[in-house]
Amino acid sequence: MRKLILAISMLAFAGSAAFADPIQDRQALMKERGKIAGQLSKVVKGEAPYDAAAVLTALQALQANAEKFHANVDTFFPAGSDTGDTTAAPKIWEDMAGFKEVEGKYLANVKAAAAAAPADVDALKAQFNTIGGDCGTCHQTYRIKKG
């Protein structure tokens, strides 16, 4: 629980920072997203106990992360930020409308999961599978695979 509170605090702090480098900024946001999803994944896999309050807090943090991404897509992915230390695929800039559509679906599903406040691990699994599917869709289409 302490780690979850720290993660949310860090997210809030990151949200107040000015955008300096679009590649670093989007990578930081994605790393934060991965940490939150990782916490939820442990619960789904049975590696961590189901705690309704902690799950809801994590989903709310995931929603805040998704909302920040949604509000700043153009800032995170300006022209020219497709080169350098990035795994963002050129397809993002070739199909920005499609990228935004996939991202918007992810945001909608995260909002729905947070609003539903899953009552048990089975409900969380269903919602987490939907959210994970959104992540996979985006990564398959708009991300360059490492190594």
Side-chain angles (χ1 to χ4, degrees):
M1 186 68 165
R2 184 175 283 164
K3 287 182 182 180
L4 183 59
I5 293 170
L6 178 61
I8 292 169
S9 297
M10 290 173 64
L11 182 63
F13 176 76
S16 65
F19 295 104
D21 177 291
I23 294 172
Q24 290 178 356
D25 291 339
R26 67 187 183 231
Q27 287 174 344
L29 196 68
M30 287 295 157
K31 284 180 185 177
E32 183 63 33
R33 183 176 291 183
K35 286 179 186 178
I36 299 166
Q39 293 167 350
L40 291 168
S41 178
K42 286 181 181 181
V43 175
V44 167
K45 292 177 182 177
E47 297 170 2
Y50 179 83
D51 175 331
V55 165
L56 180 57
T57 300
L59 287 171
Q60 290 168 337
L62 202 57
Q63 179 178 336
N65 175 286
E67 288 172 341
K68 180 176 180 184
F69 188 90
H70 181 76
N72 295 289
V73 170
D74 293 326
T75 304
F76 287 134
F77 297 93
S81 68
D82 57 338
T83 60
D85 183 22
T86 183
T87 57
K91 179 94 172 158
I92 292 171
W93 292 270
E94 295 164 5
D95 182 23
M96 184 59 76
F99 178 65
K100 288 179 178 181
E101 182 179 326
V102 169
E103 181 274 327
K105 183 176 183 249
Y106 168 80
L107 173 60
N109 287 329
V110 170
K111 282 183 173 182
D120 57 34
V121 72
D122 290 330
L124 175 63
K125 282 180 186 178
Q127 293 165 333
F128 194 72
N129 286 340
T130 298
I131 292 167
D134 293 336
C135 294
T137 297
C138 190
H139 283 203
Q140 289 172 8
T141 307
Y142 298 105
R143 184 175 185 219
I144 298 169
K145 294 179 183 175
K146 292 183 180 179

